[in-house]
């Protein structure tokens, strides 16, 4: 069963996305505090990356051995170094893990009974799954760079700016209706915008 084949007894799906350090994880947490089931798809993938026994991780170890630790897990930091700069390795990573991530997302969504759910993903277009609406969290690149360097002191400005540029080159699946929330102010400002967007979704789908 594909997500596009869901009946109306299944929840509507909001795909929450945005560039790194835009504030999408914070926005996702705010939706969760409002009682909306939320799933961070990046964390789903990360749990697979760190499991040496997972079939996708074993396949990646064969395809891109330089990205793996001695015990067979994905080397921490490789997503912003090797995979952000090596298109061949990045393509292998996406193609190997995509079907497993899709399956996990479908299973989680099937188990929900809410009016709508939120999937959070940095690269929503890479999932290959349909959503009812896309919610993009946006912030200027310089502000995002500053946030990245503050929360990850080990990163260089070049690493941060390169990753922002790579993500900007990845198209969003705008075939779905899209909403945009700007996150340039305080946490309270974003919270108010999330509450307003939540009210819109309730009104639309109730």
């Amino acid at each position: 069963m594909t997500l596009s084949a869901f009946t109306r007894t299944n929840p509507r799906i909001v795909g929450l996305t945005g560039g790194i350090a835009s504030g999408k994880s914070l926005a996702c947490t705010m939706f969760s505090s409002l009682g909306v089931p939320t799933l961070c798809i990046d964390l789903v993938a990360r749990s697979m990356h760190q499991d040496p026994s997972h079939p996708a991780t074993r396949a990646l170890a064969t395809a891109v051995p330089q990205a793996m630790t001695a015990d067979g897990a994905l080397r921490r930091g490789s997503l912003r170094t090797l995979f952000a700069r090596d298109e061949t390795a990045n393509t292998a990573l996406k193609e190997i893990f995509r079907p497993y991530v899709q399956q996990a997302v479908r299973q989680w969504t099937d188990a929900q009974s809410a009016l709508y759910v939120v999937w959070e993903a940095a690269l929503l277009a890479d999932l290959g799954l349909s959503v009812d609406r896309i919610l993009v969290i946006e912030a200027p690149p310089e502000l995002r760079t500053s946030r990245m360097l503050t929360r990850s002191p080990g990163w260089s400005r070049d690493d941060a700016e390169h990753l922002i540029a790579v993500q900007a080159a990845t198209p969003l699946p705008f075939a779905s209706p899209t909403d945009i929330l700007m996150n340039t102010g305080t946490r309270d400002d974003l919270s108010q915008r999330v509450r307003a967007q939540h009210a819109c979704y309730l009104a639309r789908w109730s």
Side-chain angles (χ1 to χ4, degrees), residues 11-26:
R12 301 282 186 165
I13 301 163
V14 174
L16 190 158
T17 191
I20 187 169
S22 62
K24 60 185 178 298
S25 295
L26 178 57

Side-chain angles (χ1 to χ4, degrees), residues 22-194:
S22 62
K24 60 185 178 298
S25 295
L26 178 57
C28 190
T29 299
M30 291 173 175
F31 275 104
S32 181
S33 71
L34 295 172
V36 181
T38 60
L39 178 67
C40 178
I41 297 176
D42 295 339
L43 290 181
V44 172
R46 195 174 305 161
S47 68
M48 297 177 186
H49 296 166
Q50 297 304 312
D51 180 2
S53 66
H54 195 283
T57 309
R58 294 201 302 268
L60 187 67
T62 299
V64 194
Q66 67 272 31
M68 315 307 289
T69 63
D71 64 0
L74 185 66
R75 190 180 304 280
R76 292 187 182 277
S78 61
L79 292 179
R80 67 177 170 87
T81 53
L82 172 64
F83 291 102
R85 298 178 182 274
D86 186 327
E87 184 175 350
T88 299
N90 195 39
T91 298
L93 175 74
K94 293 176 182 178
E95 291 183 351
I96 289 170
F97 279 91
R98 183 181 293 116
Y100 296 98
V101 173
Q102 287 177 336
Q103 181 181 30
V105 171
R106 289 188 179 108
Q107 289 175 342
W108 178 87
T109 306
D110 279 342
Q112 308 307 314
S113 58
L115 181 65
Y116 77 95
V117 301
V118 171
W119 295 347
E120 178 202 345
L123 300 177
L124 191 61
D126 289 341
L127 283 176
L129 295 173
S130 299
V131 299
D132 291 286
R133 293 194 73 85
I134 294 170
L135 177 59
V136 182
I137 310 299
E138 288 195 351
E142 184 55 38
L143 177 57
R144 291 164 55 199
T145 299
S146 175
R147 289 171 179 168
M148 291 169 70
L149 296 178
T150 298
R151 75 187 190 190
S152 302
W155 285 43
S156 69
R157 176 169 288 273
D158 180 65
D159 282 340
E161 291 177 345
H162 179 78
L163 190 52
I164 287 173
V166 168
Q167 289 188 343
T170 302
L172 289 171
F174 282 113
S176 298
T178 301
D179 304 300
I180 297 176
L181 291 187
M182 294 301 299
N183 179 27
T184 56
T186 66
R187 184 187 182 102
D188 285 344
D189 291 335
L190 181 61
S191 178
Q192 290 177 13
R193 293 187 175 101
V194 167

